[in-house]
Amino acid sequence: MPKIRKTPARMCVACKQMRPKRELVRVVRTLAGEVTVDPTGKVSGRGAYVCPTVSCIETGVREGRLQHALEVTVPDVLEGDLRRVAEAAAAVRAGAEGPRVIRIPAGGRPPRA
Ligand SMILES: [Zn+2]
């Protein structure tokens, strides 16, 4: 019998779209009551998910969506942390698709494609 591997889906607290868990950024309220970004998705506690996009991060933090989902006050610094994690995730994806930057030798011309 073929085993169907189901990708767990989660909903972004900002745009309410269901997306595969791994495409979202997890924010967790730890057992100690601390709110932190969880890039590994393995921290235990109450979790909420947001798309790694500036608009969803802003909506999630500024409009209190994460606060509501986690039932705890979200620190302002979380927005910056989320942006950094989202940028890092975007960089990893870009790296997987090949380098974006074409190196131009000093004083030289760009290499022919
Ligand atoms: Zn979203």
Side-chain angles (χ1 to χ4, degrees), residues 10-108:
R10 292 291 184 272
M11 191 176 70
C12 168
V13 296
C15 67
K16 307 281 180 188
Q17 283 205 51
M18 295 295 290
R19 298 181 68 156
K21 199 176 158 187
R22 45 185 296 187
E23 288 181 14
L24 295 163
V25 180
R26 183 173 188 246
V27 180
V28 65
R29 183 186 79 199
T30 66
L31 301 177
E34 216 180 329
V35 178
T36 180
V37 182
D38 173 25
T40 65
K42 288 174 183 162
V43 177
S44 37
R46 186 183 176 92
Y49 295 81
V50 67
C51 301
T53 61
V54 172
S55 62
C56 283
I57 290 169
E58 282 186 355
T59 304
V61 175
R62 295 183 193 176
E63 293 186 15
R65 304 287 182 87
L66 283 166
Q67 184 163 320
H68 181 77
L70 297 172
E71 297 169 347
V72 71
T73 304
V74 170
D76 290 342
V77 294
L78 191 77
E79 186 179 331
D81 290 348
L82 275 168
R83 282 171 182 256
R84 274 192 293 279
V85 170
E87 277 166 24
V92 167
R93 277 195 293 274
E97 286 159 16
R100 282 173 301 171
V101 179
I102 297 167
R103 289 193 173 276
I104 300 171

